[in-house]
Amino acid sequence: MADVSPASLAKQLLAILHRDGDRLKRIDDYDNGRHDDPYMPPQADDEYRLLARRAVSNWMPLLVNTPAQALYVDGFRRGTIGEAGIPIGGEGSRSIEWAHWQRSRLDARQSAVYRGALKFGHSFVLTEKTSRGVKSKGLSALKTAALFEDPANDDTPYAALTVISWPKGEELGKARMWDTRSEYEVTFKSLWDEDGVRVGKGKRHGASECPVTRFAAVIDLEGRTVGVIEPMIALQNRINQTVFDLLVAQTYGSFKVRYVTGMAPPIERDPETGEPVLDEAGQPKPLPLNHNARRFLFAEDSDVKFGSLDETPLGGFIDSIDMSIRHLAAVSQTPPHHLLGQIANLSAEALLAAETALARKIAEFKAAFGESWERVFRLAAELEGDTSAAEDFAGEVIWRDMESRSLAQAADALGKLKEQLNIPERGLWRRVPGVTQTELDDWEQMREEDDGQLQLATALIRATPEPEPALEAIAA
């Protein structure tokens, strides 16, 4: 039987951080522009190394930011229970789940969770009770590890650990660890020193399962997660190498070289004696030629020949860079115009076709991250004491529609949906571009107030007696 004691779990989790540390650090370096140097000859001088540093063209943040900027949770819709479809608890911003979201300031902080998952392949969110209520916060994969019985299919870890501070000299590193019932304080000398791991006494965290939720961008049946950067490192290195070769050719061979044969250069002479001035080797010291575009070269000797060497063409290097970027766009499912900036003379249909692959990838991320957020909301409800909402597996997050279209186009489409398909108008409110959950709640309240005023006006009209006919009318 496997050892599931807190000390054993802590050692396993620290070992995972040690095992994955180098790989994740390399991914982080590439995201921040710290790339491998391009190939250079062994005797390369400082000028070559300067060109190598300038050759880094970091495309990695764009691969992360492009899908991350299309991911934005705008609300949460609770599920229903019973055959009659009775809603569980409050809806919209009145639910305790969304109140926890606002308290955690996840409107702004959710982007960091997505970027971490897209960069490293996974990130984590911790949901816990604080002095100001239940809150959730993101945890980096560089400092956090989790254990699953079935890492490919389980969304609930049976233990997780995050590093609070790394060891420095004689100072021990500190970490927090959670299992299905308790939270522990962990100290350690290093990630690979099992004998230096110490686990403090546990305290109940209040949830019925580990309160750490994994956000995996892409996960296979082996439980391995992969982000958008690691598969692109080889292509990024190819682009850097080509840019470096371009800079070398541009620096040393992009201009014509003029030459002259059969003519000795002018030498420096003593102004008093007229004798040549000798250098340290005993040879006449040549004078520099003051030559530019406004001066001519001439010689008295007919055997002197002038000529020039052609510059190195740079078009091939530029075409190679363009090709590599297109390969990067195809493999990463990023529209080429996002990378190349070539958007002129593209029709709406062409733009839609170019965005199709990216849209499919974003839809995949929404499905994966949406399930993780739903677990976070269930944990928040459980910690708030709402047992029915904690068992609500039919709830779903509402993603903001980030498609670019005008309000007039959206209004026309929504009007046709209402008229032609007889969809209730309240069901179409969420499809208005840019609408937030708070605005939806305000609209709902305004509609209820308007309905109440209309009912009151109708009741008053019905209660008012009909006026009696005038005497003149009766006499007539």
Side-chain angles (χ1 to χ4, degrees):
M1 182 176 179
D3 186 1
V4 293
S5 64
S8 176
L9 293 176
K11 293 175 183 178
Q12 294 180 59
L13 291 165
L14 291 172
I16 292 175
L17 290 177
H18 177 56
R19 181 197 66 193
D20 296 340
D22 291 340
R23 182 178 66 89
L24 298 181
K25 181 65 168 56
R26 177 175 169 81
I27 294 172
D28 186 59
D29 286 342
Y30 266 79
D31 182 54
N32 290 283
R34 298 185 293 268
H35 299 180
D36 295 341
D37 289 334
Y39 170 77
M40 292 180 291
Q43 63 273 18
D45 55 16
D46 292 340
E47 189 174 7
Y48 261 76
R49 301 188 186 282
L50 175 61
L51 293 177
R53 290 195 297 271
R54 292 179 176 176
V56 173
S57 303
N58 192 13
W59 296 92
M60 298 293 102
L62 185 61
L63 302 183
V64 173
N65 293 336
T66 298
Q69 290 169 354
L71 299 171
Y72 190 87
V73 171
D74 219 10
F76 176 71
R77 183 188 296 113
R78 281 188 169 185
T80 55
I81 57 174
E83 297 180 356
I86 303 173
I88 306 176
E91 291 294 320
S93 63
R94 293 170 290 182
S95 68
I96 59 175
E97 295 96 332
W98 196 248
H100 136 268
W101 178 277
Q102 296 294 334
R103 190 184 305 118
S104 305
R105 294 188 290 177
L106 286 172
D107 280 339
R109 295 179 176 179
Q110 60 177 305
S111 297
V113 177
Y114 307 142
R115 283 183 167 85
L118 294 172
K119 177 164 63 172
F120 297 114
H122 61 273
S123 60
F124 300 91
V125 168
L126 167 65
T127 306
E128 61 180 344
K129 281 185 177 181
T130 68
S131 58
R132 297 185 178 181
V134 177
K135 290 186 178 182
S136 292
K137 63 179 181 181
L139 302 176
S140 170
L142 281 172
K143 302 187 296 183
T144 309
L147 288 170
F148 297 84
E149 292 183 4
D150 183 357
N153 299 295
D154 290 350
D155 61 349
T156 301
Y158 64 83
L161 177 144
T162 186
V163 175
I164 304 301
S165 62
W166 297 100
K168 293 181 180 179
E170 297 298 326
E171 184 179 352
L172 297 177
K174 296 180 180 179
R176 298 174 65 188
M177 186 181 71
W178 303 266
D179 59 14
T180 55
R181 297 182 57 188
S182 303
E183 176 185 347
Y184 307 88
E185 291 185 0
V186 179
T187 59
F188 59 98
K189 293 182 179 180
S190 65
L191 296 178
W192 56 88
D193 184 4
E194 293 188 355
D195 296 333
V197 178
R198 297 291 182 270
V199 179
K201 185 177 180 181
K203 59 179 181 180
R204 294 297 301 271
H205 50 61
S208 60
E209 56 191 25
C210 181
V212 175
T213 304
R214 178 182 61 180
F215 284 69
V218 177
I219 184 169
D220 61 15
L221 293 179
E222 302 297 327
R224 296 170 296 198
T225 59
V226 61
V228 299
I229 288 183
E230 190 174 19
M232 301 295 113
I233 288 179
L235 278 170
Q236 176 67 77
N237 287 339
R238 185 201 303 177
I239 294 172
N240 290 345
Q241 182 68 53
T242 309
V243 174
F244 173 70
D245 295 340
L246 170 65
L247 291 179
V248 171
Q250 176 181 297
T251 302
Y252 298 108
S254 62
F255 45 85
K256 290 182 179 296
V257 177
R258 292 179 175 85
Y259 68 88
V260 57
T261 61
M263 184 178 70
I267 60 176
E268 184 178 352
R269 295 181 180 274
D270 190 302
E272 296 181 356
T273 63
E275 295 295 327
V277 177
L278 303 180
D279 58 15
E280 296 178 354
Q283 300 295 325
K285 192 174 183 180
L287 288 172
L289 289 176
N290 185 10
H291 178 70
N292 54 44
R294 299 177 59 186
R295 296 179 181 270
F296 292 92
L297 291 175
F298 62 92
E300 298 178 357
D301 192 343
S302 60
D303 293 333
V304 175
K305 295 182 180 180
F306 296 95
S308 64
L309 301 176
D310 292 337
E311 68 277 9
T312 302
L314 302 180
F317 295 101
I318 297 172
D319 291 341
S320 179
I321 295 172
D322 185 78
M323 179 195 68
S324 297
I325 294 175
R326 291 182 183 276
H327 289 176
L328 183 70
V331 176
S332 65
Q333 292 182 264
T334 304
H337 60 271
H338 285 210
L339 300 175
L340 298 171
Q342 298 175 352
I343 199 172
N345 300 325
L346 287 180
S347 64
E349 292 77 11
L351 281 175
L352 180 61
E355 298 276 352
T356 300
L358 176 62
R360 289 198 296 263
K361 183 169 71 169
I362 291 173
E364 182 181 0
F365 292 150
K366 285 182 177 180
F369 296 156
E371 291 292 331
S372 298
W373 280 127
E374 289 162 18
R375 180 178 186 270
V376 170
F377 284 128
R378 290 194 298 271
L379 283 171
E382 181 183 15
L383 293 173
E384 290 282 6
D386 191 334
T387 56
S388 59
E391 297 296 327
D392 177 20
F393 288 88
E396 61 179 5
V397 296
I398 301 169
W399 296 94
R400 176 177 293 182
D401 184 5
M402 306 297 284
E403 183 179 352
S404 297
R405 60 175 180 269
S406 67
L407 185 60
Q409 291 175 322
D412 181 62
L414 295 177
K416 291 180 179 179
L417 288 174
K418 181 179 183 301
E419 294 175 3
Q420 298 178 9
L421 301 180
N422 199 26
I423 298 176
E425 61 181 29
R426 294 191 186 186
L428 299 173
W429 285 356
R430 293 187 182 277
R431 297 186 177 272
V432 177
V435 66
T436 64
Q437 183 66 49
T438 303
E439 288 176 322
L440 288 173
D441 294 336
D442 290 341
W443 293 355
E444 187 71 33
Q445 184 176 356
M446 292 176 188
R447 172 57 63 90
E448 292 176 358
E449 292 175 354
D450 290 345
D451 291 345
Q453 292 175 0
L454 180 61
Q455 293 175 4
L456 177 60
T458 303
L460 290 174
I461 291 173
R462 291 177 178 176
T464 303
E466 294 288 337
E468 296 183 1
L471 295 177
E472 292 80 6
I474 295 176

PDB file of all heavy atoms in Angstrom, residues 18-44:
ATOM      1  N   HIS A  18      11.341  19.340  -8.441  1.00  0.00           N
ATOM      2  CA  HIS A  18      12.740  19.169  -8.832  1.00  0.00           C
ATOM      3  C   HIS A  18      12.852  18.530 -10.219  1.00  0.00           C
ATOM      4  O   HIS A  18      13.680  18.954 -11.052  1.00  0.00           O
ATOM      5  CB  HIS A  18      13.451  18.300  -7.800  1.00  0.00           C
ATOM      6  CG  HIS A  18      14.874  17.992  -8.144  1.00  0.00           C
ATOM      7  ND1 HIS A  18      15.810  18.964  -8.390  1.00  0.00           N
ATOM      8  CD2 HIS A  18      15.514  16.797  -8.304  1.00  0.00           C
ATOM      9  CE1 HIS A  18      16.979  18.394  -8.677  1.00  0.00           C
ATOM     10  NE2 HIS A  18      16.814  17.087  -8.645  1.00  0.00           N
ATOM     11  N   ARG A  19      11.999  17.554 -10.492  1.00  0.00           N
ATOM     12  CA  ARG A  19      12.048  16.863 -11.789  1.00  0.00           C
ATOM     13  C   ARG A  19      11.677  17.793 -12.941  1.00  0.00           C
ATOM     14  O   ARG A  19      12.319  17.780 -14.002  1.00  0.00           O
ATOM     15  CB  ARG A  19      11.090  15.672 -11.754  1.00  0.00           C
ATOM     16  CG  ARG A  19      11.045  14.844 -13.027  1.00  0.00           C
ATOM     17  CD  ARG A  19       9.798  13.977 -13.038  1.00  0.00           C
ATOM     18  NE  ARG A  19       8.580  14.785 -13.119  1.00  0.00           N
ATOM     19  CZ  ARG A  19       7.361  14.309 -12.892  1.00  0.00           C
ATOM     20  NH1 ARG A  19       7.193  13.047 -12.529  1.00  0.00           N
ATOM     21  NH2 ARG A  19       6.294  15.099 -13.007  1.00  0.00           N
ATOM     22  N   ASP A  20      10.651  18.594 -12.742  1.00  0.00           N
ATOM     23  CA  ASP A  20      10.157  19.459 -13.819  1.00  0.00           C
ATOM     24  C   ASP A  20      10.792  20.846 -13.816  1.00  0.00           C
ATOM     25  O   ASP A  20      10.489  21.646 -14.707  1.00  0.00           O
ATOM     26  CB  ASP A  20       8.638  19.619 -13.706  1.00  0.00           C
ATOM     27  CG  ASP A  20       7.903  18.298 -13.895  1.00  0.00           C
ATOM     28  OD1 ASP A  20       8.504  17.373 -14.482  1.00  0.00           O
ATOM     29  OD2 ASP A  20       6.744  18.204 -13.463  1.00  0.00           O
ATOM     30  N   GLY A  21      11.631  21.124 -12.845  1.00  0.00           N
ATOM     31  CA  GLY A  21      12.144  22.485 -12.694  1.00  0.00           C
ATOM     32  C   GLY A  21      12.910  22.987 -13.898  1.00  0.00           C
ATOM     33  O   GLY A  21      12.673  24.109 -14.379  1.00  0.00           O
ATOM     34  N   ASP A  22      13.845  22.176 -14.414  1.00  0.00           N
ATOM     35  CA  ASP A  22      14.669  22.626 -15.537  1.00  0.00           C
ATOM     36  C   ASP A  22      13.821  22.858 -16.786  1.00  0.00           C
ATOM     37  O   ASP A  22      14.025  23.841 -17.521  1.00  0.00           O
ATOM     38  CB  ASP A  22      15.768  21.605 -15.829  1.00  0.00           C
ATOM     39  CG  ASP A  22      16.812  21.540 -14.726  1.00  0.00           C
ATOM     40  OD1 ASP A  22      16.902  22.515 -13.946  1.00  0.00           O
ATOM     41  OD2 ASP A  22      17.528  20.513 -14.627  1.00  0.00           O
ATOM     42  N   ARG A  23      12.889  21.972 -17.041  1.00  0.00           N
ATOM     43  CA  ARG A  23      12.039  22.117 -18.231  1.00  0.00           C
ATOM     44  C   ARG A  23      11.167  23.367 -18.136  1.00  0.00           C
ATOM     45  O   ARG A  23      11.065  24.147 -19.095  1.00  0.00           O
ATOM     46  CB  ARG A  23      11.163  20.874 -18.406  1.00  0.00           C
ATOM     47  CG  ARG A  23      10.281  20.911 -19.639  1.00  0.00           C
ATOM     48  CD  ARG A  23       9.478  19.621 -19.767  1.00  0.00           C
ATOM     49  NE  ARG A  23       8.513  19.482 -18.691  1.00  0.00           N
ATOM     50  CZ  ARG A  23       7.269  19.975 -18.753  1.00  0.00           C
ATOM     51  NH1 ARG A  23       6.856  20.635 -19.824  1.00  0.00           N
ATOM     52  NH2 ARG A  23       6.437  19.791 -17.753  1.00  0.00           N
ATOM     53  N   LEU A  24      10.551  23.587 -16.990  1.00  0.00           N
ATOM     54  CA  LEU A  24       9.699  24.761 -16.822  1.00  0.00           C
ATOM     55  C   LEU A  24      10.517  26.045 -16.819  1.00  0.00           C
ATOM     56  O   LEU A  24      10.064  27.083 -17.326  1.00  0.00           O
ATOM     57  CB  LEU A  24       8.888  24.642 -15.526  1.00  0.00           C
ATOM     58  CG  LEU A  24       7.912  23.451 -15.457  1.00  0.00           C
ATOM     59  CD1 LEU A  24       7.166  23.458 -14.133  1.00  0.00           C
ATOM     60  CD2 LEU A  24       6.927  23.471 -16.622  1.00  0.00           C
ATOM     61  N   LYS A  25      11.732  25.994 -16.256  1.00  0.00           N
ATOM     62  CA  LYS A  25      12.588  27.176 -16.269  1.00  0.00           C
ATOM     63  C   LYS A  25      12.988  27.527 -17.703  1.00  0.00           C
ATOM     64  O   LYS A  25      13.049  28.714 -18.071  1.00  0.00           O
ATOM     65  CB  LYS A  25      13.837  26.908 -15.430  1.00  0.00           C
ATOM     66  CG  LYS A  25      14.801  28.087 -15.351  1.00  0.00           C
ATOM     67  CD  LYS A  25      14.184  29.266 -14.625  1.00  0.00           C
ATOM     68  CE  LYS A  25      15.212  30.341 -14.288  1.00  0.00           C
ATOM     69  NZ  LYS A  25      15.946  30.842 -15.458  1.00  0.00           N
ATOM     70  N   ARG A  26      13.241  26.540 -18.524  1.00  0.00           N
ATOM     71  CA  ARG A  26      13.576  26.791 -19.932  1.00  0.00           C
ATOM     72  C   ARG A  26      12.397  27.437 -20.659  1.00  0.00           C
ATOM     73  O   ARG A  26      12.571  28.375 -21.445  1.00  0.00           O
ATOM     74  CB  ARG A  26      13.965  25.481 -20.606  1.00  0.00           C
ATOM     75  CG  ARG A  26      14.275  25.595 -22.095  1.00  0.00           C
ATOM     76  CD  ARG A  26      14.775  24.251 -22.608  1.00  0.00           C
ATOM     77  NE  ARG A  26      14.843  24.192 -24.060  1.00  0.00           N
ATOM     78  CZ  ARG A  26      15.822  24.684 -24.794  1.00  0.00           C
ATOM     79  NH1 ARG A  26      16.826  25.297 -24.206  1.00  0.00           N
ATOM     80  NH2 ARG A  26      15.803  24.568 -26.116  1.00  0.00           N
ATOM     81  N   ILE A  27      11.187  26.958 -20.382  1.00  0.00           N
ATOM     82  CA  ILE A  27       9.997  27.557 -20.986  1.00  0.00           C
ATOM     83  C   ILE A  27       9.843  29.000 -20.534  1.00  0.00           C
ATOM     84  O   ILE A  27       9.547  29.903 -21.343  1.00  0.00           O
ATOM     85  CB  ILE A  27       8.751  26.731 -20.618  1.00  0.00           C
ATOM     86  CG1 ILE A  27       8.823  25.342 -21.262  1.00  0.00           C
ATOM     87  CG2 ILE A  27       7.478  27.435 -21.042  1.00  0.00           C
ATOM     88  CD1 ILE A  27       7.736  24.387 -20.805  1.00  0.00           C
ATOM     89  N   ASP A  28      10.049  29.251 -19.261  1.00  0.00           N
ATOM     90  CA  ASP A  28       9.951  30.611 -18.743  1.00  0.00           C
ATOM     91  C   ASP A  28      11.010  31.524 -19.368  1.00  0.00           C
ATOM     92  O   ASP A  28      10.734  32.688 -19.678  1.00  0.00           O
ATOM     93  CB  ASP A  28      10.098  30.586 -17.219  1.00  0.00           C
ATOM     94  CG  ASP A  28       9.851  31.951 -16.584  1.00  0.00           C
ATOM     95  OD1 ASP A  28       8.750  32.501 -16.756  1.00  0.00           O
ATOM     96  OD2 ASP A  28      10.769  32.472 -15.919  1.00  0.00           O
ATOM     97  N   ASP A  29      12.211  30.995 -19.564  1.00  0.00           N
ATOM     98  CA  ASP A  29      13.266  31.787 -20.198  1.00  0.00           C
ATOM     99  C   ASP A  29      12.879  32.176 -21.622  1.00  0.00           C
ATOM    100  O   ASP A  29      13.083  33.325 -22.041  1.00  0.00           O
ATOM    101  CB  ASP A  29      14.578  31.000 -20.211  1.00  0.00           C
ATOM    102  CG  ASP A  29      15.231  30.926 -18.842  1.00  0.00           C
ATOM    103  OD1 ASP A  29      14.869  31.736 -17.973  1.00  0.00           O
ATOM    104  OD2 ASP A  29      16.090  30.049 -18.630  1.00  0.00           O
ATOM    105  N   TYR A  30      12.333  31.234 -22.364  1.00  0.00           N
ATOM    106  CA  TYR A  30      11.950  31.553 -23.743  1.00  0.00           C
ATOM    107  C   TYR A  30      10.804  32.552 -23.784  1.00  0.00           C
ATOM    108  O   TYR A  30      10.735  33.393 -24.684  1.00  0.00           O
ATOM    109  CB  TYR A  30      11.591  30.280 -24.504  1.00  0.00           C
ATOM    110  CG  TYR A  30      12.759  29.733 -25.272  1.00  0.00           C
ATOM    111  CD1 TYR A  30      13.755  28.996 -24.618  1.00  0.00           C
ATOM    112  CD2 TYR A  30      12.910  29.963 -26.623  1.00  0.00           C
ATOM    113  CE1 TYR A  30      14.850  28.509 -25.309  1.00  0.00           C
ATOM    114  CE2 TYR A  30      14.003  29.485 -27.325  1.00  0.00           C
ATOM    115  CZ  TYR A  30      14.973  28.758 -26.664  1.00  0.00           C
ATOM    116  OH  TYR A  30      16.072  28.292 -27.349  1.00  0.00           O
ATOM    117  N   ASP A  31       9.895  32.472 -22.848  1.00  0.00           N
ATOM    118  CA  ASP A  31       8.806  33.441 -22.809  1.00  0.00           C
ATOM    119  C   ASP A  31       9.328  34.845 -22.507  1.00  0.00           C
ATOM    120  O   ASP A  31       8.760  35.835 -22.987  1.00  0.00           O
ATOM    121  CB  ASP A  31       7.773  33.031 -21.758  1.00  0.00           C
ATOM    122  CG  ASP A  31       6.583  33.978 -21.715  1.00  0.00           C
ATOM    123  OD1 ASP A  31       5.961  34.197 -22.765  1.00  0.00           O
ATOM    124  OD2 ASP A  31       6.283  34.508 -20.620  1.00  0.00           O
ATOM    125  N   ASN A  32      10.394  34.948 -21.754  1.00  0.00           N
ATOM    126  CA  ASN A  32      10.949  36.244 -21.370  1.00  0.00           C
ATOM    127  C   ASN A  32      12.143  36.660 -22.220  1.00  0.00           C
ATOM    128  O   ASN A  32      12.857  37.601 -21.853  1.00  0.00           O
ATOM    129  CB  ASN A  32      11.357  36.211 -19.893  1.00  0.00           C
ATOM    130  CG  ASN A  32      10.167  36.162 -18.963  1.00  0.00           C
ATOM    131  OD1 ASN A  32       9.503  37.166 -18.723  1.00  0.00           O
ATOM    132  ND2 ASN A  32       9.864  34.981 -18.438  1.00  0.00           N
ATOM    133  N   GLY A  33      12.373  35.990 -23.338  1.00  0.00           N
ATOM    134  CA  GLY A  33      13.395  36.427 -24.274  1.00  0.00           C
ATOM    135  C   GLY A  33      14.797  35.950 -23.971  1.00  0.00           C
ATOM    136  O   GLY A  33      15.745  36.401 -24.621  1.00  0.00           O
ATOM    137  N   ARG A  34      14.976  35.045 -23.025  1.00  0.00           N
ATOM    138  CA  ARG A  34      16.296  34.486 -22.723  1.00  0.00           C
ATOM    139  C   ARG A  34      16.461  33.185 -23.499  1.00  0.00           C
ATOM    140  O   ARG A  34      16.240  32.094 -22.991  1.00  0.00           O
ATOM    141  CB  ARG A  34      16.459  34.276 -21.221  1.00  0.00           C
ATOM    142  CG  ARG A  34      16.383  35.569 -20.415  1.00  0.00           C
ATOM    143  CD  ARG A  34      16.680  35.327 -18.936  1.00  0.00           C
ATOM    144  NE  ARG A  34      15.634  34.532 -18.309  1.00  0.00           N
ATOM    145  CZ  ARG A  34      14.575  35.034 -17.699  1.00  0.00           C
ATOM    146  NH1 ARG A  34      14.402  36.345 -17.660  1.00  0.00           N
ATOM    147  NH2 ARG A  34      13.667  34.238 -17.137  1.00  0.00           N
ATOM    148  N   HIS A  35      16.855  33.308 -24.769  1.00  0.00           N
ATOM    149  CA  HIS A  35      16.910  32.170 -25.670  1.00  0.00           C
ATOM    150  C   HIS A  35      18.328  31.618 -25.767  1.00  0.00           C
ATOM    151  O   HIS A  35      19.303  32.284 -25.390  1.00  0.00           O
ATOM    152  CB  HIS A  35      16.444  32.587 -27.068  1.00  0.00           C
ATOM    153  CG  HIS A  35      15.037  33.087 -27.104  1.00  0.00           C
ATOM    154  ND1 HIS A  35      14.417  33.506 -28.262  1.00  0.00           N
ATOM    155  CD2 HIS A  35      14.105  33.233 -26.120  1.00  0.00           C
ATOM    156  CE1 HIS A  35      13.188  33.888 -27.995  1.00  0.00           C
ATOM    157  NE2 HIS A  35      12.971  33.736 -26.706  1.00  0.00           N
ATOM    158  N   ASP A  36      18.430  30.410 -26.321  1.00  0.00           N
ATOM    159  CA  ASP A  36      19.741  29.837 -26.627  1.00  0.00           C
ATOM    160  C   ASP A  36      20.429  30.684 -27.687  1.00  0.00           C
ATOM    161  O   ASP A  36      19.780  31.203 -28.613  1.00  0.00           O
ATOM    162  CB  ASP A  36      19.585  28.407 -27.140  1.00  0.00           C
ATOM    163  CG  ASP A  36      19.019  27.470 -26.080  1.00  0.00           C
ATOM    164  OD1 ASP A  36      19.081  27.822 -24.891  1.00  0.00           O
ATOM    165  OD2 ASP A  36      18.512  26.393 -26.458  1.00  0.00           O
ATOM    166  N   ASP A  37      21.744  30.832 -27.583  1.00  0.00           N
ATOM    167  CA  ASP A  37      22.495  31.588 -28.582  1.00  0.00           C
ATOM    168  C   ASP A  37      22.473  30.859 -29.920  1.00  0.00           C
ATOM    169  O   ASP A  37      22.519  29.626 -29.966  1.00  0.00           O
ATOM    170  CB  ASP A  37      23.949  31.782 -28.140  1.00  0.00           C
ATOM    171  CG  ASP A  37      24.072  32.752 -26.975  1.00  0.00           C
ATOM    172  OD1 ASP A  37      23.181  33.613 -26.835  1.00  0.00           O
ATOM    173  OD2 ASP A  37      25.039  32.631 -26.206  1.00  0.00           O
ATOM    174  N   PRO A  38      22.403  31.603 -31.039  1.00  0.00           N
ATOM    175  CA  PRO A  38      22.535  30.950 -32.344  1.00  0.00           C
ATOM    176  C   PRO A  38      23.949  30.419 -32.530  1.00  0.00           C
ATOM    177  O   PRO A  38      24.871  30.781 -31.785  1.00  0.00           O
ATOM    178  CB  PRO A  38      22.230  32.082 -33.336  1.00  0.00           C
ATOM    179  CG  PRO A  38      22.512  33.337 -32.586  1.00  0.00           C
ATOM    180  CD  PRO A  38      22.182  33.049 -31.155  1.00  0.00           C
ATOM    181  N   TYR A  39      24.126  29.551 -33.524  1.00  0.00           N
ATOM    182  CA  TYR A  39      25.452  28.975 -33.766  1.00  0.00           C
ATOM    183  C   TYR A  39      26.423  30.069 -34.185  1.00  0.00           C
ATOM    184  O   TYR A  39      26.143  30.905 -35.041  1.00  0.00           O
ATOM    185  CB  TYR A  39      25.383  27.908 -34.846  1.00  0.00           C
ATOM    186  CG  TYR A  39      26.756  27.464 -35.290  1.00  0.00           C
ATOM    187  CD1 TYR A  39      27.507  26.602 -34.500  1.00  0.00           C
ATOM    188  CD2 TYR A  39      27.314  27.957 -36.467  1.00  0.00           C
ATOM    189  CE1 TYR A  39      28.777  26.215 -34.880  1.00  0.00           C
ATOM    190  CE2 TYR A  39      28.583  27.573 -36.857  1.00  0.00           C
ATOM    191  CZ  TYR A  39      29.316  26.707 -36.053  1.00  0.00           C
ATOM    192  OH  TYR A  39      30.573  26.344 -36.434  1.00  0.00           O
ATOM    193  N   MET A  40      27.619  30.049 -33.571  1.00  0.00           N
ATOM    194  CA  MET A  40      28.696  30.964 -33.910  1.00  0.00           C
ATOM    195  C   MET A  40      29.990  30.177 -33.967  1.00  0.00           C
ATOM    196  O   MET A  40      30.121  29.151 -33.287  1.00  0.00           O
ATOM    197  CB  MET A  40      28.821  32.082 -32.864  1.00  0.00           C
ATOM    198  CG  MET A  40      27.667  33.051 -32.825  1.00  0.00           C
ATOM    199  SD  MET A  40      27.905  34.325 -31.569  1.00  0.00           S
ATOM    200  CE  MET A  40      27.731  33.334 -30.074  1.00  0.00           C
ATOM    201  N   PRO A  41      30.962  30.614 -34.767  1.00  0.00           N
ATOM    202  CA  PRO A  41      32.259  29.916 -34.773  1.00  0.00           C
ATOM    203  C   PRO A  41      32.921  30.004 -33.407  1.00  0.00           C
ATOM    204  O   PRO A  41      32.697  30.963 -32.656  1.00  0.00           O
ATOM    205  CB  PRO A  41      33.063  30.656 -35.845  1.00  0.00           C
ATOM    206  CG  PRO A  41      32.385  31.968 -36.007  1.00  0.00           C
ATOM    207  CD  PRO A  41      30.936  31.735 -35.716  1.00  0.00           C
ATOM    208  N   PRO A  42      33.751  29.024 -33.056  1.00  0.00           N
ATOM    209  CA  PRO A  42      34.379  29.025 -31.722  1.00  0.00           C
ATOM    210  C   PRO A  42      35.206  30.283 -31.445  1.00  0.00           C
ATOM    211  O   PRO A  42      35.303  30.713 -30.302  1.00  0.00           O
ATOM    212  CB  PRO A  42      35.251  27.766 -31.738  1.00  0.00           C
ATOM    213  CG  PRO A  42      34.662  26.895 -32.796  1.00  0.00           C
ATOM    214  CD  PRO A  42      34.105  27.809 -33.835  1.00  0.00           C
ATOM    215  N   GLN A  43      35.787  30.874 -32.482  1.00  0.00           N
ATOM    216  CA  GLN A  43      36.638  32.044 -32.275  1.00  0.00           C
ATOM    217  C   GLN A  43      35.848  33.349 -32.411  1.00  0.00           C
ATOM    218  O   GLN A  43      36.442  34.396 -32.698  1.00  0.00           O
ATOM    219  CB  GLN A  43      37.801  32.033 -33.274  1.00  0.00           C
ATOM    220  CG  GLN A  43      37.390  32.140 -34.742  1.00  0.00           C
ATOM    221  CD  GLN A  43      37.074  30.797 -35.352  1.00  0.00           C
ATOM    222  OE1 GLN A  43      36.831  29.830 -34.617  1.00  0.00           O
ATOM    223  NE2 GLN A  43      37.066  30.720 -36.665  1.00  0.00           N
ATOM    224  N   ALA A  44      34.534  33.300 -32.214  1.00  0.00           N
ATOM    225  CA  ALA A  44      33.724  34.499 -32.355  1.00  0.00           C
ATOM    226  C   ALA A  44      34.160  35.559 -31.356  1.00  0.00           C
ATOM    227  O   ALA A  44      34.418  35.281 -30.180  1.00  0.00           O
ATOM    228  CB  ALA A  44      32.254  34.161 -32.147  1.00  0.00           C
TER     229      ALA A  44
END
